[in-house]
Amino acid sequence: MTAVWGSTFVLIKDVVGRMPVADFLAVRFTVAAAAMFVLFHRHVVRLERRQLWRGCALGVLYGCGQMLQTRGLALISPSVSGFVTGMYVVFTPLLATILLRQRMPATVWLAVGLATLGLALLSLNGFSVDLGVWLTLASALLYGLHIVALGHWSRAEEAFGLSTVQMAVIALVCLLATLGHGGPVLPPDRGAWIAVLYMALVAGAGAMLMQTWAQAHLPASRAAIVMTTEPVFAAAFAVALGSDVVTWRMLCGGALVLGAMYLVELTPRRQPPAEAIHHEV
């Protein structure tokens, strides 16, 4: 899933240069929501009312996070945006500790530190605390909250339905953001449409489905660490497509992020992931 997300950075940079950000997000998530509803509407009907409301709450969190992140990106450099967005790996265990009263092993906190340092080496080329940074930091907080809530509420047998509800609400949030100028503007050409469809169906609907299913089996803190591989994949695709070159920071940062992921994965578990997630459900 994070590999797919990493592949979208180059595409997004090109598309948002030719159409408004809110319009791009609205079209992308509306297409994703429509495709998921066609395929999984029966799963939505089977959801309990409580899960429907939870899906709506998750969609609002993710949709607002997308809007804040993209607005912030318009005000700061992509490298600073990437690092600040990656701070959800720090917020996730903190939120899990505060909201779910989960005790985090020391190795998880060590992994958080390694991942944060790795993200800094990968993407930080200067840092200034301005409005764009605060907007992006707010989006990282919402992403962390989404990861914690999804891990606590998601059930494997409800992944299709819960993912569809989330995507529909995300699309609604993004559509509401375009009302100020009369509704969404469609992609300007065939190339933009291909990019939007890929990001809607593969990086949008497909990734949301994978995340919802996976977090039914994976504690939130572990999921957050694994998700820090996104900038590693983004760097790899940028190099492969010729838009970037390999640097020592890229190699060292990627190694630290991967080291953090494996440190968490190798940590002995006190109880099975599903039990750890659902003991209060």
Side-chain angles (χ1 to χ4, degrees):
M1 182 188 71
T2 56
V4 171
W5 283 344
S7 71
T8 64
F9 278 72
V10 176
L11 295 175
I12 291 175
K13 184 177 181 180
D14 175 65
V15 174
V16 298
R18 292 184 285 157
M19 63 183 297
V21 170
D23 300 69
F24 157 70
L25 292 174
V27 174
R28 171 188 177 183
F29 288 113
T30 298
V31 171
M36 292 186 72
F37 188 78
V38 169
L39 293 174
F40 307 124
H41 60 278
R42 293 182 180 177
H43 296 269
V44 175
V45 174
R46 295 172 190 163
L47 290 177
E48 299 175 358
R49 180 176 297 180
R50 181 175 62 175
Q51 286 300 85
L52 285 172
W53 282 112
R54 287 174 172 179
C56 290
L58 289 167
V60 169
L61 285 174
Y62 196 92
C64 291
Q66 281 281 315
M67 294 303 304
L68 287 171
Q69 179 189 5
T70 310
R71 295 294 185 189
L73 180 58
L75 302 174
I76 58 177
S77 67
S79 60
V80 174
S81 176
F83 173 67
V84 178
T85 301
M87 290 301 290
Y88 64 72
V89 74
V90 178
F91 289 137
T92 298
L94 293 175
L95 290 168
T97 300
I98 294 170
L99 299 177
L100 303 181
R101 297 180 181 179
Q102 294 179 357
R103 296 184 62 182
M104 297 297 165
T107 50
V108 171
W109 294 109
L110 176 59
V112 166
L114 289 175
T116 302
L117 180 58
L119 285 167
L121 285 174
L122 277 168
S123 56
L124 188 59
N125 292 310
F127 192 89
S128 59
V129 182
D130 54 21
L131 178 60
V133 170
W134 290 116
L135 290 174
T136 309
L137 192 63
S139 76
L141 181 63
L142 291 180
Y143 288 147
L145 187 57
H146 178 267
I147 292 170
V148 171
L150 184 60
H152 191 60
W153 290 338
S154 180
R155 301 170 183 171
E157 66 274 14
E158 297 175 342
F160 293 129
L162 190 61
S163 299
T164 303
V165 173
Q166 287 184 79
M167 193 60 66
V169 175
I170 294 169
L172 179 60
V173 170
C174 296
L175 283 169
L176 290 175
T178 69
L179 295 181
H181 54 268
V185 175
L186 297 179
D189 52 51
R190 179 182 178 184
W193 266 113
I194 293 175
V196 168
L197 289 175
Y198 169 75
M199 287 181 280
L201 301 178
V202 181
M208 177 62 70
L209 179 61
M210 285 190 286
Q211 182 183 3
T212 302
W213 179 87
Q215 284 204 244
H217 304 276
L218 193 67
S221 59
R222 301 172 74 92
I225 295 293
V226 174
M227 288 180 192
T228 60
T229 57
E230 179 183 355
V232 178
F233 285 114
F237 278 107
V239 171
L241 296 174
S243 60
D244 208 341
V245 295
V246 177
T247 64
W248 70 269
R249 292 179 59 167
M250 185 182 298
L251 294 174
C252 293
L256 285 171
V257 169
L258 292 175
M261 182 186 73
Y262 286 112
L263 180 63
V264 171
E265 284 302 309
L266 294 175
T267 299
R269 308 182 188 187
R270 295 182 179 180
Q271 55 188 348
E275 180 183 345
I277 292 173
H278 299 305
H279 68 283
E280 297 180 5
V281 174

